[in-house]
Amino acid sequence: MGSYRRPHELPEALDLLAQGSWQVMAGGTDVFPARAHRIAWGNPSEADWLDITAIPELRGITLSGNSWRIGAATSWAALRDADLPAGFDALREAARQVGGRQVQARGTIGGNLCNASPAADGVPPLLVLDAEVELASTRGRRRLKLGEFILGNRRTARAADELLVALHVPAARAEARSVFLKLGARSHLVISIAMVAADAEGRVAVGACSEVARLWDGTPLAPMDDVRGSAAYRHAAAAELVARAQARLAA
Ligand SMILES: Cc1cc2nc3c(=O)[nH]c(=O)nc-3n(C[C@H](O)[C@H](O)[C@H](O)COP(=O)(O)OP(=O)(O)OC[C@H]3O[C@@H](n4cnc5c(N)ncnc54)[C@H](O)[C@@H]3O)c2cc1C
């Protein structure tokens, strides 16, 4: 059994990360299924767990000046139920569709981004919102555009000693109405085959069709092929979702 720490202050968490090798966990809804999978396939190695859910600075949604701040450990349920301007409708709709109520209560927006699955439902709405991520370590803080943070399938620009502390969304961007549409193999509790977020100002992001969700610039999509869907199927599905999202925004 590895160690388990649950600091109540951010500096303590950052000191631990600077001194050793810790597996960060927030809601645990990605890391624990991955751990069970690892053990089932004969790898019993155990991490030292750094639980970040008791750090107040990592939670909550606030407007300060011309920017919204979402703490990285804010749960999907908190996002789903928050009173936010129309630009967040796509993100709140994604929150309503992530897993079931239990996953929404535990899972966090920061975990979704750091896990960097191609099918992470939080990414397209946040791309449309032009979100930045804020990373902290004992070396200081830095901000990156979300598109610079997620580098590939399960790869991010986060260094091992850094924590994702918050997301920042320009307040002006949060005013334009937005929608989120997702296609899976069934209507609920499903991993996306394709998903789309779009806003009334014409920004469109497509997810689950490539290693990393992308803002769509109007050029033809070249989706990936995998067990969930062929490239041709994804191409048709994404095009249909974009058309439906735009029709909904125009209505
Ligand atoms: C039944 C089920 C259904 C699901 N359905 C969906 C779905 O529909 N759509 C979807 O997108 N996802 C889905 N997921 C995946 C998961 O719930 C989400 O990705 C969730 O947002 C992960 O958040 P978490 O807090 O649980 O992350 P964790 O499992 O705690 O962590 C995930 C990764 O992020 C790292 N991490 C977490 N927080 C930080 C931080 N602040 N700083 C640095 N690193 C951090 C961890 O080290 C780990 O590598 C589902 C999962 C389950 C079990």
Side-chain angles (χ1 to χ4, degrees):
M1 183 72 187
S3 310
Y4 172 81
R5 296 288 292 271
R6 189 170 184 254
H8 286 74
E9 303 291 340
L10 183 60
E12 188 187 343
L14 299 182
D15 281 342
L16 287 167
L17 282 174
Q19 288 157 19
S21 163
W22 294 85
Q23 169 73 61
V24 175
M25 60 168 284
T29 62
D30 274 316
V31 281
F32 278 111
R35 173 181 177 271
H37 185 264
R38 208 173 51 239
I39 292 171
W41 284 95
N43 176 0
S45 63
E46 196 55 90
D48 292 325
W49 296 96
L50 177 61
D51 181 341
I52 59 170
T53 54
I55 302 172
E57 186 185 336
L58 300 187
R59 285 190 182 271
I61 308 167
T62 49
L63 175 63
S64 112
N66 57 4
S67 172
W68 286 91
R69 178 189 190 277
I70 304 174
T74 301
S75 69
W76 288 111
L79 273 168
R80 181 194 67 208
D81 298 340
D83 185 13
L84 293 167
F88 285 101
D89 285 355
L91 185 61
R92 295 180 62 225
E93 184 55 38
R96 262 190 290 275
Q97 295 193 37
V98 166
R101 303 289 278 194
Q102 296 91 338
V103 169
Q104 291 166 17
R106 292 289 316 168
T108 66
I109 186 67
N112 193 246
L113 303 184
C114 291
N115 190 57
S117 159
D121 285 333
V123 180
L126 287 167
L127 285 174
V128 166
L129 283 167
D130 204 16
E132 286 185 356
V133 300
E134 179 184 351
L135 297 157
S137 71
T138 54
R139 296 172 288 119
R141 295 199 181 216
R142 62 181 179 132
R143 283 199 192 189
L144 294 175
K145 292 272 186 204
L146 180 58
E148 296 163 357
F149 175 65
I150 302 181
L151 302 177
N153 187 355
R154 318 275 170 185
R155 284 192 302 118
T156 70
R158 182 179 84 86
D161 66 341
E162 285 180 313
L163 269 188
L164 175 60
V165 290
L167 311 172
H168 298 274
V169 171
R173 182 58 66 196
E175 294 306 318
R177 282 183 308 121
S178 64
V179 297
F180 173 81
L181 295 173
K182 153 174 171 174
L183 173 76
R186 53 181 187 267
S187 67
H188 286 88
L189 245 178
V190 69
I191 297 175
S192 296
I193 297 170
M195 61 176 122
V196 162
D199 76 5
E201 291 181 350
R203 287 163 72 91
V204 176
V206 177
C209 286
S210 48
E211 274 202 9
V212 185
R214 296 258 175 254
L215 273 176
W216 186 50
D217 58 8
T219 55
L221 289 169
M224 61 189 184
D225 240 331
D226 70 9
V227 286
R228 289 196 195 100
S230 67
Y233 179 69
R234 277 201 163 90
H235 189 275
E240 179 62 29
L241 291 180
V242 170
R244 287 186 192 184
Q246 289 173 334
R248 203 175 280 191
L249 286 164

